[in-house]
């Protein structure tokens, strides 16, 4: 039993997860299915007497998903890279925390940050889930990763479909400034701690990643990351901008 648990909560020495395989696509397809069901039954959820309980359960799941990452490292310290890898400096983790508290309080401000962070920075984790290279479907980390990275989208679109929350221009600026603040912190930590690579700003990862196309030069790398994230923030807001323009055009007739 001890060896089984050590295997399940551990990591392999050889790559166990490959990009664009069933193990990669299955969680994404499942996420799309859940989002469709949220949209299909949005009215029923909104009018349900148990709607508050649903939000609280989702918030609980989100917190457990995030905390289980650190519980695993506490139980298996040989998996931790120390401060160079395990500090809570990351878009995905904080997005999940924000989503949990957003679900409890129906917070517009937390929605603003989580919406843009998930649809920009966290999106890269779905495209190239680098942390799973040595953790395939037989490992705890595989399921923890996908739950953490998909439940945030469930929370965001739940609030959009069921409660009608939406971003605006001020929320775009607020979220962007919050991300810049985290980027400055990550850059400082990367400089102070040898081997640290928070937000993947310092260097390319050893495992395959969408960021592999970036140059190794630090200044150029950061400049490109900032430009891409800025463009993605604009794309995330574009549907709402077009919706507002259409509504304004109708009102002007």
């Amino acid at each position: 039993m001890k060896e089984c648990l050590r295997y399940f909560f551990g990591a392999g020495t050889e790559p166990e997860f490959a990009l664009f395989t069933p193990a990669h696509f299955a969680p994404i397809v499942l996420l799309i299915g859940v989002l469709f069901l949220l949209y299909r039954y949005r009215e029923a959820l909104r009018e349900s007497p148990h709607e508050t309980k649903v939000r609280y359960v989702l918030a609980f799941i989100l917190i457990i998903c995030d905390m289980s990452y650190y519980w695993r490292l506490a139980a298996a310290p040989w998996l931790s890279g120390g401060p160079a890898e395990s500090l809570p400096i990351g878009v995905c983790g904080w997005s999940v925390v924000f989503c949990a508290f957003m679900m409890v309080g129906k917070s517009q401000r937390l929605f603003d940050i989580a919406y843009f962070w998930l649809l920009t920075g966290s999106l890269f984790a779905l495209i190239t889930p680098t942390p799973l290279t040595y953790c395939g479907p037989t490992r705890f980390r595989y399921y923890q990763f996908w739950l953490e990275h998909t439940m945030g989208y469930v929370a965001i679109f739940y609030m959009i479909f069921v409660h009608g929350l939406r971003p605006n221009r001020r929320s775009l600026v607020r979220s962007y400034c919050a991300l810049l603040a985290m980027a400055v912190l990550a850059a400082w930590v990367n400089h102070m701690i040898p081997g640290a690579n928070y937000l993947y700003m310092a260097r390319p990862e050893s495992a395959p990643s969408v960021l592999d196309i970036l140059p190794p030069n630090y200044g150029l790398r950061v400049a490109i990351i900032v430009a891409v994230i800025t463009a993605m923030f604009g794309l995330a807001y574009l549907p709402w901008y077009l919706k507002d323009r259409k509504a304004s055009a109708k009102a002007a007739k």
Side-chain angles (χ1 to χ4, degrees), residues 108-117 165-179 233 237 240:
Q108 177 68 52
R109 288 183 177 272
L110 292 177
F111 171 87
D112 292 342
I113 296 176
Y115 173 83
F116 286 104
W117 284 22
L165 295 191
R166 54 150 295 175
N168 53 47
R169 292 181 182 179
R170 284 183 298 177
S171 63
L172 186 154
V173 174
R174 185 184 301 122
S175 179
Y176 190 81
C177 290
L179 184 59
F233 264 71
Y237 182 67
W240 305 101

Side-chain angles (χ1 to χ4, degrees), residues 232-246:
M232 292 187 69
F233 264 71
L235 288 174
Y237 182 67
L238 182 61
W240 305 101
Y241 171 76
L242 295 176
K243 181 180 179 181
D244 291 343
R245 282 197 62 181
K246 186 177 179 180

Side-chain angles (χ1 to χ4, degrees), residues 3 28 30 36 50-51 53 62 72 75 81 124 147 150 165 177 189 197 213 216 219-220 223 238 240:
E3 287 301 317
I28 297 174
L30 182 60
F36 171 78
H50 305 294
E51 191 278 327
K53 293 180 182 178
L62 285 161
R72 171 176 173 263
F124 291 116
L147 274 175
T150 56
L165 295 191
C177 290
V189 172
N197 189 26
I213 61 175
L220 186 57
L238 182 61
W240 305 101

Side-chain angles (χ1 to χ4, degrees), residues 111-128:
F111 171 87
D112 292 342
I113 296 176
Y115 173 83
F116 286 104
W117 284 22
L118 283 169
L119 293 182
T120 55
S122 185
L123 187 62
F124 291 116
L126 300 185
I127 299 172
T128 54

Side-chain angles (χ1 to χ4, degrees), residues 131-174:
L132 294 184
T133 301
Y134 299 98
C135 295
T138 59
R139 307 279 188 175
F140 170 82
R141 174 61 170 145
Y142 173 87
Y143 299 98
Q144 185 275 329
F145 175 92
W146 284 114
L147 274 175
E148 180 178 26
H149 286 79
T150 56
M151 285 301 296
Y153 288 92
V154 172
I156 284 294
F157 282 96
Y158 182 95
M159 299 306 291
I160 292 174
F161 296 152
V162 178
H163 291 285
L165 295 191
R166 54 150 295 175
N168 53 47
R169 292 181 182 179
R170 284 183 298 177
S171 63
L172 186 154
V173 174
R174 185 184 301 122

Side-chain angles (χ1 to χ4, degrees), residues 2-236:
K2 185 177 180 180
E3 287 301 317
C4 289
L5 290 175
R6 187 181 180 90
Y7 174 86
F8 181 64
F9 288 100
T13 56
E14 298 292 332
E16 297 181 358
F17 177 87
L19 300 179
F20 314 124
T21 60
H24 185 182
F25 288 128
I28 297 174
V29 172
L30 182 60
L31 171 63
I32 294 171
V34 171
L35 296 183
F36 171 78
L37 291 175
L38 281 179
Y39 180 78
R40 175 67 176 80
Y41 296 103
R42 64 192 184 281
E43 297 291 344
L45 285 166
R46 187 182 301 124
E47 298 171 4
S48 171
H50 305 294
E51 191 278 327
T52 300
K53 293 180 182 178
V54 171
R55 283 189 290 107
Y56 284 10
V57 168
L58 288 174
F60 178 75
I61 293 173
L62 285 161
I63 289 295
I64 293 299
C65 286
D66 185 61
M67 292 306 300
S68 61
Y69 171 79
Y70 297 100
W71 292 337
R72 171 176 173 263
L73 295 183
W78 62 87
L79 297 173
S80 173
E85 296 181 5
S86 304
L87 294 179
I89 304 175
V91 171
C92 301
W94 278 108
S95 295
V96 168
V97 173
F98 292 152
C99 282
F101 285 97
M102 172 197 70
M103 295 297 284
V104 172
K106 295 192 287 188
S107 170
Q108 177 68 52
R109 288 183 177 272
L110 292 177
F111 171 87
D112 292 342
I113 296 176
Y115 173 83
F116 286 104
W117 284 22
L118 283 169
L119 293 182
T120 55
S122 185
L123 187 62
F124 291 116
L126 300 185
I127 299 172
T128 54
T130 303
L132 294 184
T133 301
Y134 299 98
C135 295
T138 59
R139 307 279 188 175
F140 170 82
R141 174 61 170 145
Y142 173 87
Y143 299 98
Q144 185 275 329
F145 175 92
W146 284 114
L147 274 175
E148 180 178 26
H149 286 79
T150 56
M151 285 301 296
Y153 288 92
V154 172
I156 284 294
F157 282 96
Y158 182 95
M159 299 306 291
I160 292 174
F161 296 152
V162 178
H163 291 285
L165 295 191
R166 54 150 295 175
N168 53 47
R169 292 181 182 179
R170 284 183 298 177
S171 63
L172 186 154
V173 174
R174 185 184 301 122
S175 179
Y176 190 81
C177 290
L179 184 59
L180 284 180
M182 177 172 284
V184 170
L185 174 63
W188 179 76
V189 172
N190 290 342
H191 176 72
M192 296 298 295
I193 301 178
N197 189 26
Y198 290 103
L199 301 188
Y200 305 108
M201 294 172 62
R203 63 185 183 279
E205 287 291 286
S206 57
S209 167
V210 71
L211 300 178
D212 289 345
I213 61 175
L214 297 179
N217 179 272
Y218 180 76
L220 186 57
R221 182 180 182 83
V222 171
I224 293 175
I225 289 176
V226 171
V228 170
I229 292 296
T230 302
M232 292 187 69
F233 264 71
L235 288 174

